[in-house]
Amino acid sequence: MIPGKYRSVSGRAANNVNCGLHLVIQTSSLPEKSKVRFKKVEFKLNKDTSSFPGRLLQHDLERNYSSRQGDHINLVSSSLSSFPILQRSSEEKILYSDRLSLERQKLTVCPIINGEDHLRLLNFQHNFITRIQNISNLQKLISLDLYDNQIEEISGLSTLRCLRVLLLGKNRIKKISNLENLKSLDVLDLHGNQITKIENINHLCELRVLNLARNFLSHVDNLNGLDSLTELNLRHNQITFVRDVDNLPCLQHLFLSFNNISSFDSVSCLADSSSLSDITFDGNPIAQESWYKHTVLQNMMQLRQLDMKRITEEERRMASVLAKKEEEKKRESHKQSLLKEKKRLTINNVARQWDLQQQRVANIATDEDRKDSDSAQDPCQIDGSTLSAFPEETGPLDSGLNNALQGLSVVDTYLVEVDGDTLSLYGSGALESLDRNWSVQTAGMITTVSFTFIEFDEIVHVLPKLKIKFPNSLHLKFKETNLVMLQQFNALAQLRRIDQLTIDPQGNPVVNFTLWKYYVLFRLSHFSMQKINGTEVTQNDMIMAERLFGILAHVASSELPQYRLISILGDARKKQFRYLLESKGKKPGIINEENNDSKRLVGENTNRATLNYTTKDFYNEKLEEIKEKKKFCKTYIEDLVKEATEINMKNEALQKLWPQMFIELVRDAVIEIRNKNSYMKLCLQQITDQK
């Protein structure tokens, strides 16, 4: 018997076809005295039009369609064979020559069917058959129904080349196999079995309906070659992802209800199917999500039904609007991902260059120490203006990172990032960004400035710009900046204001000094700092800082000569210093209490002001300038000495020649005025000639 679903086939429209099999099924019975009951079936084969009205096997084919019970058959046992032999009367063969129903006959084996060469429809539903056999002679068989048996393996079908419908639902089959010769198969029902993998069906190019519901499938793939498949039923499995469905050009109906699909990405291939019009996801985790329906519709605009419900135009419109918004979000997300990846690669590149630079500095320091050791000289002492090198531990970068870094341009050797109220600078090249024209709004928002992978000496040069460009900056962060001595903190005094200071231990050995925080509080006391490395500054901290470094600063400033103090102090400090000098000449009683307080305050600031920091580059520039001045002075003195020597030599020569010259002058004068008249005439003549 064919399942009851076939009864509705005759009512389908004739234009909904694409297969060469047309079944018209009508229930009929013989008189009660007949031993076998059949169903009337008409077959129409049309190879030219290839029509099959309606959906021959729908998604609920796994249901157990009951048929009329009480069929009577004659099964005769034979001594020559262990199989029963089917016998029908001549009248029955004439009336129902193309069909045979052995439903609910408690068969454990397939009987031998002889003399039924014209049989096209064979029904073994609801028996106990464990193996398909004894039907190889039925080569004209078109439909074979073995629903609800105990078959464990597909076999015995190799000679049935005309078979179009094979129903093996509700058996014990574990593997799809032995279908190589069934190339004309149109319907294959394997629901309710134990199949774990879709395989060995790629050659079924005429297959239109495939039912694999209620199996043990965990994924869907290997569907290539099923070019005629229009309906695929995969309900009630354990499917987590789907592939190859987009390679089915005729697929219209796909049923994935009650599986384990949790994201649309696991079934993304469905979006590439242009023929799919009906799909179900109900009973999956994905169907519980709020975005489920809109996501499916926006990726599968060709759908007409979703979860057996017709899709309205309003739903399509809403899905289209959400799709555009989602696309914009994806573009923005992609853009942010690219920027984030570019930032990561740039920071890695800057870190790599920083490590190489620190390694070079360490190697130079090592070479100098080795030379000093070889020459048996004392190691050179580093004064306050030079920078000590602390080599960083460096390790080789992996090949993937190296390849990525090789693609970066020169611009990517530094990074400037504004994130909310924080300006982050990576690499020395980022300091040039302080020269750009920052908008007033952006510059006013910046309250935190972070320096990473930049030499502190290079940062010192831009501190005046920082004060001007970002007047509201209150928090400075330093990481991998080579802060190695307390004197370097003196440079921060030129800023306008600092409320917080963060010195990362990484790349800043100065934090290993126990008293570094107290020195910062003492030197930058005029800022009234609130936090250092995230810790609140207390009044006790300020008192301790003054006790530790106040006397040392006073001694340092008092030992400096006046000209040195004036050169160290800026223009703003010179007036205060002159006030101190003028105050020293007055009697103690003249200066009132207010002046004493002012003097004390000015003195404290002056003491701190003498604690300055000179960078290595600036110190070298000063040395070069001093050398140039010395060279100029030396050349100038040499020129003066040379000129004085020449003058002295000329003077000595004149002294030697002067007596003789004087005599000649007197002689010439006497000779000229010896004849008075002649001399007068000559003078008059000279006067006349001049006129």
Side-chain angles (χ1 to χ4, degrees):
M1 172 182 178
I2 298 298
K5 185 57 103 174
Y6 288 140
R7 298 173 187 168
S8 64
V9 172
S10 60
R12 301 287 183 180
N15 58 354
N16 198 12
V17 298
N18 271 327
C19 183
L21 179 62
H22 183 193
L23 300 182
V24 179
I25 301 173
Q26 178 180 354
T27 303
S28 175
S29 62
L30 290 173
E32 287 190 11
K33 64 179 180 179
S34 66
K35 298 180 180 179
V36 183
R37 182 177 300 151
F38 302 96
K39 294 188 182 294
K40 182 180 179 182
V41 182
E42 295 183 8
F43 293 93
K44 295 182 181 179
L45 294 177
N46 189 341
K47 296 183 180 179
D48 297 331
T49 59
S50 241
S51 62
F52 197 131
R55 289 156 57 187
L56 184 61
L57 186 65
Q58 293 188 352
H59 65 280
D60 54 353
L61 188 60
E62 68 270 18
R63 295 179 184 176
N64 183 2
Y65 293 97
S66 61
S67 63
R68 300 180 61 179
Q69 302 182 10
D71 292 343
H72 300 285
I73 61 173
N74 280 340
L75 295 174
V76 181
S77 60
S78 173
S79 60
L80 300 177
S81 174
S82 60
F83 299 101
I85 300 175
L86 176 70
Q87 291 184 352
R88 292 198 297 172
S89 65
S90 300
E91 181 183 355
E92 292 169 350
K93 288 184 179 180
I94 293 173
L95 289 176
Y96 306 107
S97 61
D98 57 355
R99 52 200 178 277
L100 174 63
S101 176
L102 298 174
E103 180 182 354
R104 302 182 189 276
Q105 300 301 317
K106 299 181 181 181
L107 297 174
T108 58
V109 295
C110 294
I112 297 175
I113 305 175
N114 291 326
E116 302 282 354
D117 297 341
H118 298 287
L119 200 63
R120 295 190 176 188
L121 177 62
L122 181 58
N123 180 9
F124 284 114
Q125 278 193 20
H126 306 293
N127 284 289
F128 304 99
I129 298 171
T130 59
R131 185 178 179 185
I132 305 173
Q133 51 192 348
N134 298 327
I135 60 173
S136 59
N137 59 317
L138 307 177
Q139 297 183 8
K140 293 185 179 181
L141 197 64
I142 291 179
S143 176
L144 176 60
D145 189 352
L146 285 161
Y147 173 78
D148 191 18
N149 280 276
Q150 298 179 9
I151 299 170
E152 297 182 357
E153 181 183 7
I154 302 175
S155 62
L157 304 175
S158 59
T159 61
L160 307 182
R161 299 181 182 275
C162 294
L163 195 64
R164 303 295 300 276
V165 178
L166 178 59
L167 307 179
L168 292 170
K170 201 175 180 182
N171 278 279
R172 301 176 181 179
I173 300 170
K174 298 180 180 180
K175 182 178 180 180
I176 305 175
S177 60
N178 299 319
L179 300 176
E180 289 79 8
N181 294 332
L182 306 184
K183 296 182 180 180
S184 299
L185 205 60
D186 185 83
V187 177
L188 177 60
D189 178 18
L190 292 169
H191 83 272
N193 283 281
Q194 302 171 19
I195 299 170
T196 59
K197 182 180 180 181
I198 300 176
E199 56 186 338
N200 301 320
I201 60 172
N202 305 99
H203 61 287
L204 302 178
C205 57
E206 296 187 16
L207 187 67
R208 284 197 321 110
V209 179
L210 176 60
N211 187 358
L212 290 170
R214 298 186 184 276
N215 278 280
F216 300 149
L217 298 174
S218 61
H219 58 276
V220 179
D221 57 3
N222 199 21
L223 296 175
N224 296 323
L226 303 180
D227 296 338
S228 301
L229 193 67
T230 60
E231 181 173 312
L232 178 58
N233 188 352
L234 298 168
R235 296 174 64 188
H236 293 283
N237 277 278
Q238 302 166 10
I239 298 169
T240 57
F241 68 89
V242 178
R243 285 199 297 257
D244 293 347
V245 173
D246 53 321
N247 295 327
L248 302 176
C250 297
L251 186 65
Q252 299 178 14
H253 312 284
L254 176 61
F255 306 101
L256 290 166
S257 304
F258 301 100
N259 281 283
N260 293 328
I261 299 171
S262 58
S263 69
F264 189 80
D265 291 338
S266 60
V267 292
S268 58
C269 64
L270 301 179
D272 299 326
S273 175
S274 58
S275 60
L276 199 59
S277 62
D278 185 6
I279 193 169
T280 64
F281 284 112
D282 54 303
N284 284 275
I286 188 177
Q288 306 300 322
E289 301 291 345
S290 58
W291 45 261
Y292 156 66
K293 191 170 186 177
H294 296 303
T295 301
V296 173
L297 292 182
Q298 73 185 28
N299 286 279
M300 305 174 67
M301 300 297 293
Q302 77 280 7
L303 283 184
R304 296 181 180 179
Q305 284 193 158
L306 176 61
D307 296 334
M308 307 304 295
K309 295 180 181 179
R310 194 165 195 82
I311 300 172
T312 65
E313 290 301 321
E314 178 64 19
E315 289 173 333
R316 293 184 188 277
R317 189 186 66 81
M318 290 298 298
S320 178
V321 171
L322 291 175
K324 293 180 180 179
K325 293 182 178 180
E326 188 67 24
E327 187 64 25
E328 292 176 359
K329 288 182 179 179
K330 286 183 178 179
R331 283 198 296 266
E332 184 63 25
S333 176
H334 181 66
K335 180 180 178 181
Q336 294 299 326
S337 297
L338 290 179
L339 292 176
K340 186 176 181 180
E341 182 65 14
K342 184 178 177 63
K343 173 186 174 182
R344 185 184 69 82
L345 292 176
T346 302
I347 292 176
N348 286 338
N349 191 27
V350 174
R352 177 172 170 268
Q353 293 187 354
W354 172 263
D355 290 339
L356 293 175
Q357 177 184 348
Q358 299 308 304
Q359 192 64 42
R360 285 195 297 267
V361 173
N363 292 337
I364 293 174
T366 302
D367 293 340
E368 290 179 353
D369 291 343
R370 187 179 296 112
K371 291 178 181 179
D372 294 339
S373 177
D374 294 340
S375 59
Q377 295 179 355
D378 294 335
C380 295
Q381 295 182 349
I382 301 176
D383 59 23
S385 63
T386 59
L387 179 63
S388 300
F390 285 76
E392 300 288 334
E393 294 183 2
T394 59
L397 299 174
D398 58 22
S399 58
L401 182 57
N402 277 329
N403 293 335
L405 294 177
Q406 288 175 1
L408 292 175
S409 62
V410 177
V411 178
D412 294 319
T413 57
Y414 65 88
L415 176 66
V416 180
E417 181 185 28
V418 177
D419 184 10
D421 61 351
T422 302
L423 172 65
S424 299
L425 305 175
Y426 299 86
S428 59
L431 297 177
E432 298 177 1
S433 65
L434 299 179
D435 293 328
R436 70 173 61 167
N437 294 325
W438 293 82
S439 66
V440 177
Q441 182 179 3
T442 302
M445 290 173 53
I446 302 300
T447 59
T448 302
V449 182
S450 174
F451 301 93
T452 309
F453 302 120
I454 308 175
E455 287 284 352
F456 184 81
D457 282 8
E458 297 182 28
I459 298 174
V460 171
H461 295 304
V462 301
L463 290 179
K465 299 178 183 178
L466 188 67
K467 178 175 63 176
I468 298 173
K469 291 285 186 178
F470 306 104
N472 297 327
S473 59
L474 304 175
H475 185 189
L476 296 185
K477 296 182 178 181
F478 297 92
K479 180 179 180 180
E480 293 283 4
T481 56
N482 262 345
L483 270 166
V484 297
M485 60 181 68
L486 297 178
Q487 294 93 318
Q488 290 173 299
F489 290 114
N490 299 338
L492 301 180
Q494 58 185 304
L495 293 174
R496 181 173 300 178
R497 181 182 175 186
I498 301 178
D499 285 352
Q500 295 186 52
L501 183 65
T502 301
I503 310 297
D504 196 292
Q506 186 175 348
N508 295 308
V510 71
V511 299
N512 296 325
F513 300 157
T514 306
L515 303 178
W516 76 273
K517 291 184 180 180
Y518 294 111
Y519 183 80
V520 171
L521 291 176
F522 170 76
R523 183 61 187 87
L524 306 179
S525 61
H526 56 289
F527 290 146
S528 300
M529 297 183 64
Q530 300 176 4
K531 289 184 179 181
I532 296 182
N533 278 11
T535 304
E536 293 284 349
V537 176
T538 64
Q539 187 64 30
N540 291 335
D541 293 332
M542 299 298 297
I543 295 172
M544 180 61 70
E546 185 66 30
R547 288 178 180 177
L548 290 173
F549 297 101
I551 297 176
L552 295 177
H554 175 73
V555 172
S557 61
S558 62
E559 292 297 325
L560 290 176
Q562 178 181 349
Y563 77 91
R564 181 59 178 158
L565 277 176
I566 294 177
S567 65
I568 291 176
L569 299 174
D571 293 336
R573 301 289 188 180
K574 290 181 180 179
K575 295 180 180 179
Q576 297 176 352
F577 185 69
R578 289 196 181 96
Y579 168 79
L580 289 174
L581 295 180
E582 293 172 358
S583 302
K584 290 182 180 180
K586 298 180 180 180
K587 295 181 180 180
I590 298 178
I591 304 176
N592 57 26
E593 189 66 25
E594 182 179 354
N595 287 341
N596 282 332
D597 294 339
S598 176
K599 177 182 176 181
R600 178 178 55 81
L601 180 60
V602 172
E604 289 177 353
N605 292 337
T606 303
N607 290 340
R608 289 175 173 81
T610 57
L611 300 175
N612 66 338
Y613 173 67
T614 304
T615 65
K616 183 177 180 180
D617 293 338
F618 183 76
Y619 180 76
N620 292 335
E621 291 176 2
K622 286 293 184 181
L623 289 180
E624 291 296 328
E625 183 179 350
I626 292 173
K627 289 180 181 179
E628 291 293 332
K629 289 181 178 180
K630 287 182 178 180
K631 183 178 179 181
F632 173 78
C633 292
K634 182 179 179 181
T635 303
Y636 183 72
I637 295 299
E638 288 177 350
D639 292 342
L640 289 177
V641 171
K642 183 178 179 181
E643 184 178 354
T645 302
E646 292 178 354
I647 294 173
N648 183 57
M649 292 175 63
K650 291 179 180 179
N651 186 40
E652 291 179 354
L654 182 60
Q655 292 296 329
K656 293 179 181 180
L657 296 175
W658 175 248
Q660 183 63 30
M661 292 174 62
F662 183 76
I663 294 172
E664 293 179 357
L665 288 173
V666 173
R667 187 189 64 187
D668 292 340
V670 170
I671 294 174
E672 287 180 355
I673 65 175
R674 182 175 56 184
N675 188 344
K676 184 177 180 181
N677 293 330
S678 298
Y679 179 73
M680 293 177 64
K681 289 181 180 179
L682 180 62
C683 291
L684 290 172
Q685 185 63 37
Q686 291 177 352
I687 293 172
T688 303
D689 294 339
Q690 290 178 356
K691 292 182 179 180

